[in-house]
Amino acid sequence: GESVGLHLPTLSVQEGDNSIINCAYSNSASDYFIWYKQESGKGPQFIIDIRSNMDKRQGQRVTVLLNKTVKHLSLQIAATQPGDSAVYFCAENRLPGAGSYQLTFGKGTKLSVIP
Amino acid sequence: DTGVSQDPRHKITKRGQNVTFRCDPISEHNRLYWYRQTLGQGPEFLTYFQNEAQLEKSRLLSDRFSAERPKGSFSTLEIQRTEQGDSAMYLCASNPGTAGYGYTFGSGTRLTVV
């Protein structure tokens, strides 16, 4: 079935560098996307979201880019810090009115920050 | 209200026993979701409530699984006759029901079936 997936399972970056985590999705009906951060033993923590009528959204040190043409989503973390070490998941949802309310998650990318 | 609370945090049970987990969502959130996460995988949707109504269930939710949200506030997830394959993290999430709003997850209940 249609799914959300990630290009790289692990990513190691030097502290202070920028990180880019990628995600490909195949569900053409996807119109809302969320990035989550999950630390060991904890539940997923909301980072940033984006709707399909946007191609870029910025938060504090994070930027999400959406390319609907190639069905690609990325999360950019500026000046990566040791506290950013975690597993990052992208998730997709169809906004209410389009059927399902569930989130579909990818497998995750583990980000390791080297001090 | 500090977020979504789940209880217990950890549960070890023998195969064949029944277990029940509880989730307390953020108080003003009318939507509540249960997900299951196995090691190295992303969370998988199990079921969803809007207030007290269970509106959607995944095919992953076998007959041994039942979820309730009797008063539209807290929810329980029961697994009967547990199997080793049920070992996972069970996550609860809630959101206020506004279109496109992010979900807030709890810390989960880690179930180990021995």
Side-chain angles (χ1 to χ4, degrees):
Chain A
E2 295 181 296
S3 65
V4 176
L6 296 173
H7 293 305
L8 298 173
T10 60
L11 178 65
S12 295
V13 297
Q14 203 73 35
E15 181 179 358
D17 287 351
N18 297 335
S19 303
I20 300 176
I21 301 171
N22 296 302
C23 176
Y25 67 96
S26 57
N27 187 344
S28 58
S30 300
D31 48 16
Y32 177 58
F33 304 88
I34 311 172
W35 280 101
Y36 282 95
K37 172 186 179 183
Q38 188 173 27
E39 297 172 290
S40 182
K42 298 184 179 179
Q45 177 188 355
F46 176 92
I47 301 173
I48 192 168
D49 59 2
I50 189 168
R51 299 187 186 189
S52 60
N53 61 353
M54 304 171 69
D55 53 19
K56 180 179 181 179
R57 192 166 187 219
Q58 289 184 295
Q60 186 177 11
R61 284 200 307 117
V62 294
T63 301
V64 55
L65 299 177
L66 175 63
N67 185 329
K68 295 181 288 294
T69 302
V70 295
K71 297 178 183 172
H72 184 267
L73 193 69
S74 68
L75 176 70
Q76 300 178 3
I77 304 173
T80 313
Q81 303 169 358
D84 294 328
S85 294
V87 176
Y88 289 80
F89 293 97
C90 65
E92 62 94 5
N93 190 9
R94 280 172 276 183
L95 292 173
S100 173
Y101 293 90
Q102 62 180 276
L103 287 177
T104 301
F105 284 80
K107 290 187 178 181
T109 291
K110 183 177 181 180
L111 175 65
S112 296
V113 181
I114 304 165
Chain B
D1 195 319
T2 57
V4 178
S5 299
Q6 292 189 246
D7 182 73
R9 289 296 310 276
H10 304 276
K11 178 70 176 179
I12 300 174
T13 191
K14 292 183 178 180
R15 188 174 50 187
Q17 297 294 305
N18 299 343
V19 293
T20 300
F21 310 140
R22 176 178 170 126
C23 171
D24 287 90
I26 293 173
S27 57
E28 62 267 25
H29 287 185
N30 63 2
R31 292 184 180 172
L32 185 149
Y33 308 79
W34 285 98
Y35 284 78
R36 181 173 68 186
Q37 185 177 27
T38 53
L39 198 62
Q41 302 296 316
E44 296 174 296
F45 172 79
L46 291 178
T47 190
Y48 148 68
F49 290 86
Q50 181 162 321
N51 299 312
E52 67 276 7
Q54 188 174 18
L55 298 184
E56 192 170 356
K57 290 194 290 186
S58 163
R59 287 170 291 180
L60 293 174
L61 212 65
S62 76
D63 291 344
R64 297 184 298 105
F65 288 69
S66 62
E68 294 182 343
R69 195 183 183 197
K71 299 181 180 178
S73 56
F74 73 92
S75 175
T76 57
L77 177 68
E78 181 183 16
I79 308 174
Q80 296 181 326
R81 305 180 303 281
T82 52
E83 302 172 356
Q84 286 189 321
D86 297 332
S87 296
M89 174 78 84
Y90 290 85
L91 293 161
C92 177
S94 69
N95 78 352
T98 304
Y101 231 89
Y103 300 59
T104 301
F105 279 85
S107 293
T109 295
R110 168 73 67 188
L111 173 67
T112 302
V113 181
V114 297

